[in-house]
Amino acid sequence: MMSSQTFIDLSRWQFATTAAFHMTFPALSVGLSIFLAICYGLYYKTGNPLYLQMFRFWRSIFAIGFALGIVAGIVLTFELGLNWGTYARAVGPILGPMICMEALTAFFLEAGFFGILVWGEGRVSKRVTMVSSCMVALGALLSTAWILDANSWMQTPAGYREVNGQFQPTNWYYTIFNPAFNYRFPHMVLAVLASSAWFIAAIGAYYLLRRRALPLARKTMSIGLVSAAVLLPIQLNVGDNMATYMTGVYQPDKLIAAEGNFNSGNTGWNVFAIADQAQQRNYVQVSLPNAESVFDFHNFSGDESVAPIKSIPQNEQPTVAPVFWGFHIMIYGAWAMMTVAFIAVIMRLRRRLYTERWFLRLVLWMLPVGVISTIAGWVTSESGRQPWLVYGKLLVNNSASGLSTGELIASLAAFWIVYLVLVTAWIRQIVREVRRGPDPLPGQEGSEALPPSASDAPAPSGLPVTPVEA
């Protein structure tokens, strides 16, 4: 059913806002759930109270994001039915069972053991707490798999037939393991693990700057940076393969828009571009000569390039700006994190990792880069699929419901206000937990803050510290 363009645009903004807000929490909570299982596993095996202190501290931060992520995820399912009713009817036989399986296999698993993880430690045996930690981590990974599977099917639909305007499954194996899922799932898992690793390392750097909880700070920062140094090269390789094979073969328009060249014959890789899609040109374009051949085709001859945007009919072109900048922000963020992680490896070998204050500040200020890069990747993936909702099969303009524009504007404004309040509260709570610091364990050196004389350098803004009495 055709709806007004205003309604469609507002519906897209509403869903994009909700999805970006929701994505902020899994970008951290999935990796933190695995980190909690590792911390408690090390405590369970060694009895070292430092690992228990780490478990208790990060558990409180994980619990906040986990709860808010659930709330935001529920809103998305309501928007599918309210704003995108035609789409929901068309894909219901495919996506309905996938979302149901996410609830049955992932959400129930997480919710069932979440209470034990958060409130059971000390009240139940160590073995039960260990199992609960592992089950919550497993549930987070399963949730990621099912949600990504549903979205990936929209990118590369497979194992279905069309009956009276509906997509009905014919082979669930091909439906679930569709081409996009096989590339995007490992890419997404690595993304959230790298985001969490960087978040963990940044908090450790903060405590090192303030000379508080030093054993926890050293161990936390070390684990985070080593994990990032291992994960990010793998992630860049997986992402490169996804761009080359999945995007280049199944969704070439997305790769074309991500490169941002309107005219043929340009073999440069655009570092910066401002697109004027209406005029089919770039206002500003800064390129690395002959680099597109290297980045996209791994050919150092410099004579290969991606097709220009003008090769796509204008009514079928993705919106270039969000695809281009989503892709480049994701890439720049990954390159920055990998560079700093390898500097950390060198500094660790030189025994200066925990003492160079300029480097600690750099790690701290890069705290949000992983989450921003992950959200930018989603913007690339979703914007690059346009103008299709189900790629090549169902257009966005044929998918919306018939709600009034006024109702949509009111709900969009309400969502933005509520989300702003929730994000502000979430950030403030994390800052409060970090300022409070880990609970001290009896007899453990570094559990308490040192006198002000031991931390005479100013704290980076955004994480103020209450002065500690001598």
Side-chain angles (χ1 to χ4, degrees):
M1 177 179 61
M2 293 295 294
S3 301
S4 71
Q5 191 60 46
T6 301
F7 178 86
I8 292 172
D9 291 341
L10 289 173
S11 293
R12 291 177 64 187
W13 271 106
Q14 186 178 73
F15 197 87
T17 301
T18 308
F21 173 77
H22 171 65
M23 191 60 234
T24 304
F25 304 106
L28 296 178
S29 61
V30 175
L32 285 179
S33 68
I34 296 173
F35 181 66
L36 288 175
I38 292 172
C39 288
Y40 200 83
L42 291 170
Y43 170 67
Y44 183 80
K45 181 178 180 179
T46 67
N48 187 340
L50 174 60
Y51 295 119
L52 179 60
Q53 185 187 43
M54 293 169 62
F55 172 80
R56 289 175 175 173
F57 172 72
W58 286 104
R59 178 181 59 187
S60 61
I61 293 176
F62 164 77
I64 302 165
F66 179 84
L68 287 176
I70 291 174
V71 174
I74 292 173
V75 174
L76 283 171
T77 59
F78 280 100
E79 289 182 7
L80 290 177
L82 291 173
N83 294 51
W84 303 99
T86 305
Y87 156 82
R89 177 190 176 278
V91 302
I94 300 284
L95 266 59
M98 290 185 181
I99 294 174
C100 182
M101 288 300 295
E102 191 269 338
L104 292 175
T105 63
F107 177 72
F108 286 177
L109 186 64
E110 289 177 298
F113 287 96
F114 178 76
I116 301 175
L117 172 69
V118 176
W119 295 289
E121 188 260 321
R123 297 179 175 86
V124 297
S125 68
K126 290 183 179 179
R127 181 174 298 178
V128 172
T129 304
M130 182 72 249
V131 171
S132 300
S133 301
C134 292
M135 291 299 101
V136 170
L138 176 60
L141 288 173
L142 285 173
S143 179
T144 303
W146 283 115
I147 295 302
L148 201 68
D149 198 14
N151 183 271
S152 295
W153 184 87
M154 296 159 56
Q155 306 278 350
T156 53
Y160 71 96
R161 63 180 179 182
E162 292 186 57
V163 179
N164 297 325
Q166 276 193 326
F167 301 98
Q168 298 182 356
T170 57
N171 188 317
W172 275 108
Y173 177 84
Y174 292 111
T175 300
I176 294 173
F177 296 102
N178 59 78
F181 175 76
N182 298 332
Y183 286 100
R184 296 177 75 224
F185 178 64
H187 187 57
M188 185 63 193
V189 170
L190 288 167
V192 296
L193 292 180
S195 298
S196 304
W198 206 265
F199 180 73
I200 290 166
I203 299 301
Y206 170 76
Y207 282 131
L208 287 169
L209 282 167
R210 306 313 301 163
R211 301 185 186 275
R212 298 180 60 199
L214 295 180
L216 178 143
R218 293 191 188 100
K219 185 68 70 174
T220 294
M221 183 174 170
S222 179
I223 292 175
L225 288 177
V226 169
S227 299
V230 172
L231 291 169
L232 285 164
I234 301 173
Q235 171 70 316
L236 287 172
N237 181 64
V238 170
D240 179 70
N241 290 335
M242 186 175 74
T244 301
Y245 298 107
M246 200 289 285
T247 305
V249 174
Y250 294 96
Q251 293 183 327
D253 295 358
K254 183 184 294 185
L255 182 59
I256 291 170
E259 294 299 335
N261 287 318
F262 282 92
N263 297 313
S264 60
N266 186 351
T267 59
W269 191 80
N270 289 335
V271 177
F272 181 92
I274 300 177
D276 180 2
Q277 195 160 357
Q279 299 297 322
Q280 297 288 281
R281 64 186 181 91
N282 285 324
Y283 283 121
V284 180
Q285 182 170 310
V286 180
S287 303
L288 296 176
N290 301 321
E292 190 175 77
S293 179
V294 177
F295 290 153
D296 292 330
F297 302 99
H298 308 147
N299 182 347
F300 288 85
S301 66
D303 56 3
E304 290 188 84
S305 62
V306 174
I309 298 171
K310 286 183 177 180
S311 65
I312 309 169
Q314 194 163 356
N315 64 334
E316 296 181 9
Q317 293 176 2
T319 306
V320 173
V323 183
F324 177 87
W325 281 110
F327 177 73
H328 282 70
I329 289 172
M330 175 183 66
I331 291 293
Y332 294 156
W335 286 348
M337 289 188 292
M338 188 174 71
T339 301
V340 177
F342 275 98
I343 293 174
V345 172
I346 296 172
M347 297 186 69
R348 177 68 180 269
L349 295 174
R350 298 178 64 185
R351 301 181 182 277
R352 296 170 61 185
L353 178 62
Y354 307 125
T355 57
E356 290 288 349
R357 298 184 69 82
W358 69 266
F359 181 75
L360 297 176
R361 291 191 183 95
L362 176 62
V363 172
L364 177 59
W365 284 111
M366 288 186 64
L367 180 149
V369 172
V371 175
I372 293 171
S373 298
T374 302
I375 294 175
W378 271 94
V379 170
T380 304
S381 179
E382 298 303 281
S383 298
R385 189 179 67 237
Q386 305 300 317
W388 306 95
L389 262 182
V390 179
Y391 191 75
K393 299 295 179 181
L394 181 63
L395 289 165
V396 172
N397 287 347
N398 295 338
S399 305
S401 302
L403 297 176
S404 71
T405 303
E407 293 172 328
L408 183 53
I409 292 174
S411 63
L412 179 60
F415 279 139
W416 281 358
I417 293 172
V418 171
Y419 289 163
L420 180 62
V421 171
L422 289 177
V423 167
T424 302
W426 178 57
I427 294 174
R428 288 187 63 184
Q429 186 61 32
I430 290 177
V431 171
R432 186 177 293 114
E433 290 291 334
V434 173
R435 289 179 59 189
R436 185 177 69 85
D439 294 330
L441 295 176
Q444 183 177 359
E445 181 184 357
S447 341
E448 300 289 345
L450 295 180
S453 59
S455 55
D456 49 3
S461 61
L463 288 176
V465 177
T466 304
V468 180
E469 295 182 356

